[in-house]
C-alpha cells in the first residue's frame, strides 16, 4: 500500500520536506517511501493541537495529522468501496446511442452500473447502437445524472483493469457526503477517538490527501537532536 521501509530510530532524518503547499509533492513521496501500512498502527498519540490536529509519534519522529481530512478520506473510501446507490425510474426512458462495442460492454458490466444507480432496458429488435435505453438514474437531492455519466462509465470500463468504477459526479457526491459526516475542525477529541482516526488511516488505499486534495498528515520534526 503505502510504504517501503518503516521508520528506524537512528539519528538519520528521513523527512526533509517542509509543511507548505509548495512542498506537498515531496512530502507525499517521502511518506510513501517511509511508511508501511503497519506504521499507522504504531503511531502513538501525543495530543490534540488547536482542536484540529492530532500530534502523533513514531520512533523519534513527530507527525501532525489533520483530524478532519483524515476522517473524511476514510469515510470517502468506505463510500466508494461499499455504497450501492438507489435509483429513481425515469418517467420517459432515454434511448442511448452507443457503438456496438459499447452496447456489449454495458451488458457485461450491468452490476457496476446498478451499483452506481443506473438501470436499462434492451430492445433486441432495434438497430445496432440503438438497443439500449436508460430507465433509471441515481437518487440525489443535490446532484443530477444522465446519459453523459453512462458514457463516462463506459470510457472508464474500457480502460479499466478491474476494481471499482465510479463516474466523476458520483465520486464528487461521495466526497461531499464524506466531508459533512466527518469529524470537524474545532471538535475536541479524547485519546481513544484520536487513536481510532490513526487506525483508520492504516486501512486506506490513498491516505495522504483528502478527496478535495487537503493533506492528511505531514512530518513535523525528528526528535533525535533533542534527546
Amino acid at each position: 500500500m503505502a510504504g517501503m521501509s518503516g521508520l528506524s530510530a537512528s539519528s538519520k532524518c528521513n523527512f526533509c520536506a517542509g509543511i507548505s503547499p509548495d512542498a506537498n509533492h515531496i512530502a507525499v513521496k517521502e511518506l510513501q517511501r517511509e511508511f508501511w501500512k503497519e506504521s499507522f498502527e504504531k503511531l502513538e498519540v501525543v495530543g490534540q493541537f488547536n482542536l484540529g490536529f492530532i500530534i502523533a509519534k513514531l520512533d523519534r519522529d513527530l507527525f501532525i495529522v489533520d483530524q478532519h481530512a483524515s476522517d473524511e478520506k476514510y469515510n470517502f473510501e468506505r463510500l466508494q468501496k461499499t455504497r450501492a446507490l438507489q435509483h429513481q425510474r425515469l418517467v420517459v426512458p432515454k434511448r442511448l446511442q452507443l457503438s456496438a462495442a459499447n452496447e456489449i460492454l454495458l451488458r457485461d458490466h450491468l452490476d457496476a452500473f446498478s451499483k452506481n444507480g443506473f438501470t436499462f432496458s434492451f430492445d433486441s429488435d432495434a438497430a445496432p447502437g440503438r438497443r439500449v435505453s436508460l430507465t433509471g438514474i441515481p437518487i440525489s437531492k443535490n446532484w443530477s445524472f444522465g446519459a453523459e455519466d453512462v458514457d463516462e462509465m463506459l470510457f472508464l470500463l474500457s480502460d479499466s483493469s478491474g476494481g471499482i468504477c465510479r463516474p466523476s459526479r458520483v465520486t464528487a457526491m461521495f466526497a461531499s457526503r464524506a466531508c459533512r459526516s466527518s469529524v470537524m475542525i474545532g471538535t475536541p477529541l479524547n485519546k481513544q477517538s484520536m487513536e481510532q482516526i490513526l487506525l483508520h488511516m492504516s486501512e486506506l488505499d490513498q491516505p495522504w490527501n483528502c478527496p478535495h486534495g487537503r493533506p492528511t498528515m505531514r512530518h513535523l520534526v525528528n526528535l533525535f537532536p533533542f534527546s
Side-chain angles (χ1 to χ4, degrees):
M1 172 199 119
M4 291 293 294
S5 67
L7 296 176
S8 69
S10 70
S11 60
K12 179 180 177 229
C13 181
N14 298 310
F15 300 91
C16 300
I19 303 179
S20 70
D22 292 341
N24 277 345
H25 179 67
I26 297 173
V28 168
K29 288 184 69 174
E30 289 178 346
L31 288 165
Q32 289 173 330
R33 184 184 69 237
E34 299 299 334
F35 260 75
W36 291 91
K37 178 178 180 178
E38 293 79 10
S39 299
F40 291 104
E41 299 170 357
K42 294 177 182 178
L43 281 169
E44 301 174 34
V45 171
V46 176
Q48 187 184 30
F49 171 69
N50 207 29
L51 293 181
F53 301 92
I54 300 166
I55 306 300
K57 178 176 176 287
L58 182 60
D59 293 332
R60 300 191 184 187
D61 286 289
L62 280 185
F63 298 86
I64 185 167
V65 179
D66 185 315
Q67 66 189 43
H68 174 72
S70 300
D71 196 37
E72 180 183 354
K73 189 58 177 286
Y74 173 76
N75 289 325
F76 171 74
E77 286 199 8
R78 181 170 50 85
L79 288 170
Q80 282 279 82
K81 291 176 180 178
T82 65
R83 180 59 56 89
L85 296 176
Q86 299 299 310
H87 75 274
Q88 55 187 350
R89 194 164 187 83
L90 295 176
V91 176
V92 179
K94 180 176 177 58
R95 191 175 292 271
L96 303 178
Q97 188 162 355
L98 305 172
S99 67
N102 274 347
E103 282 188 350
I104 295 171
L105 186 65
L106 188 147
R107 283 181 177 270
D108 288 345
H109 292 87
L110 286 177
D111 285 347
F113 282 100
S114 177
K115 189 172 184 178
N116 284 286
F118 296 98
T119 61
F120 307 92
S121 64
F122 300 90
D123 182 359
S124 58
D125 295 326
R130 302 289 289 171
R131 293 172 176 167
V132 182
S133 292
L134 179 63
T135 59
I137 59 175
I139 297 174
S140 175
K141 292 180 180 179
N142 303 313
W143 298 82
S144 54
F145 300 91
E148 61 273 19
D149 301 294
V150 175
D151 291 337
E152 183 186 3
M153 276 199 69
L154 288 168
F155 174 78
L156 294 172
L157 289 166
S158 69
D159 195 40
S160 172
S161 58
I164 298 166
C165 180
R166 301 285 192 185
S168 57
R169 268 187 281 215
V170 169
T171 297
M173 181 176 70
F174 283 163
S176 178
R177 290 182 180 179
C179 180
R180 294 195 304 270
S181 64
S182 298
V183 172
M184 293 298 175
I185 297 294
T187 303
L189 299 177
N190 59 30
K191 184 178 180 182
Q192 183 178 6
S193 297
M194 290 187 277
E195 288 174 341
Q196 188 67 50
I197 289 175
L198 298 179
L199 184 61
H200 281 167
M201 290 186 75
S202 72
E203 302 172 20
L204 299 179
D205 295 328
Q206 300 292 332
W208 311 119
N209 295 283
C210 83
H212 299 104
R214 181 169 167 168
T216 54
M217 70 178 291
R218 289 294 182 262
H219 180 258
L220 273 180
V221 66
N222 181 277
L223 298 175
F224 180 82
F226 307 101
S227 61

